[in-house]
Amino acid sequence: EFRFYLEKVNLFMEFEPKGVIVAKEADKIAGFIIVTKDISNLIKNAFLRGYIFRWFMDTVRGRFGLNLVMKKKIIRFLISLFFLPIFIIIHSKVAKAKIVAIIVAEEKRNLGIGKSLIDKTMQYLRENNIKSVSVTVQINNLLALKFYQNYDFFISGKCIESTGKSLILTKYLNN
């Protein structure tokens, strides 16, 4: 699964390199967050540059590990492609900016790294005059839901993603 995130990082390094914010500890990556100022533009570029097709083909070929979980993700991915225009419309009505991923190494959790990443992300978005940001969280991921709610994100909708049914959380930024 982390190989899949490496592909997302490659996409961002091409289109929005400042949207990849890394937390290091003793010269090792402790966590990172990926954020875009404009999710619609990012998805358009991912399609046009062939990233989405390559991700799908790499998944089918088993590059990311083709087990039962990944097979379910493929099916959800195909379903989410069908709903992609609706997803973009929902997100653009709520917020153009989107946190695409946040990962903190398991052994580094509960040490303030996630908070630091969120703080740096909000600073980056404010510097770019972004008024709101959204993130999606799987409905059953109560830890992530609580984490974002601690930073004033609120539930603003629901959607279906490759990971399954998700909540859309939104935060308004005070610039």
Side-chain angles (χ1 to χ4, degrees):
E1 187 151 338
F2 289 108
R3 285 180 282 185
F4 182 70
Y5 284 106
L6 180 59
E7 295 296 325
K8 286 184 179 183
V9 169
N10 288 336
L11 170 68
F12 271 82
M13 293 309 288
E14 183 176 342
F15 294 109
E16 193 172 348
K18 291 184 179 180
V20 179
I21 301 167
V22 178
K24 288 186 176 181
E25 194 173 274
D27 265 354
K28 291 187 179 181
I29 295 175
F32 66 89
I33 194 165
I34 302 174
V35 63
T36 181
K37 296 178 288 188
D38 187 341
I39 188 64
S40 299
N41 190 44
L42 178 77
I43 291 171
K44 180 181 87 176
N45 281 311
F47 267 113
L48 293 176
R49 298 283 176 99
Y51 278 90
I52 292 186
F53 178 74
R54 282 195 306 272
W55 290 335
F56 177 74
M57 292 308 295
D58 285 347
T59 302
V60 170
R61 290 182 187 126
R63 181 166 177 241
F64 305 124
L66 192 56
N67 54 29
L68 182 60
V69 172
M70 289 309 292
K71 286 179 184 178
K72 287 181 180 180
K73 283 188 177 190
I74 291 170
I75 293 167
R76 290 182 185 137
F77 176 78
L78 292 171
I79 292 168
S80 68
L81 281 180
F82 177 75
F83 290 106
L84 190 61
I86 297 168
F87 177 80
I88 292 171
I89 290 167
I90 289 169
H91 271 283
S92 62
K93 285 183 179 180
V94 176
K96 280 183 139 182
K98 184 177 189 291
I99 296 172
V100 178
I102 181 171
I103 295 181
V104 175
E106 197 168 329
E107 67 276 7
K108 300 293 181 182
R109 294 182 185 164
N110 298 311
L111 299 175
I113 292 169
K115 179 187 183 326
S116 174
L117 289 168
I118 289 289
D119 290 344
K120 289 177 183 176
T121 299
M122 297 307 125
Q123 179 183 347
Y124 167 70
L125 294 172
R126 285 185 183 104
E127 287 170 357
N128 286 278
N129 297 313
I130 302 298
K131 304 292 181 207
S132 60
V133 60
S134 67
V135 63
T136 53
V137 174
Q138 287 181 327
I139 287 179
N140 61 351
N141 191 342
L142 300 179
L143 285 175
L145 180 61
K146 183 178 178 183
F147 173 80
Y148 287 112
Q149 287 176 328
N150 284 339
Y151 297 101
D152 299 323
F153 282 80
F154 62 92
I155 298 171
S156 57
K158 294 181 181 178
C159 66
I160 298 174
E161 295 188 299
S162 61
T163 55
K165 294 179 183 177
S166 297
L167 297 170
I168 301 170
L169 305 177
T170 300
K171 175 181 175 73
Y172 292 112
L173 306 176
N174 301 325
N175 291 336

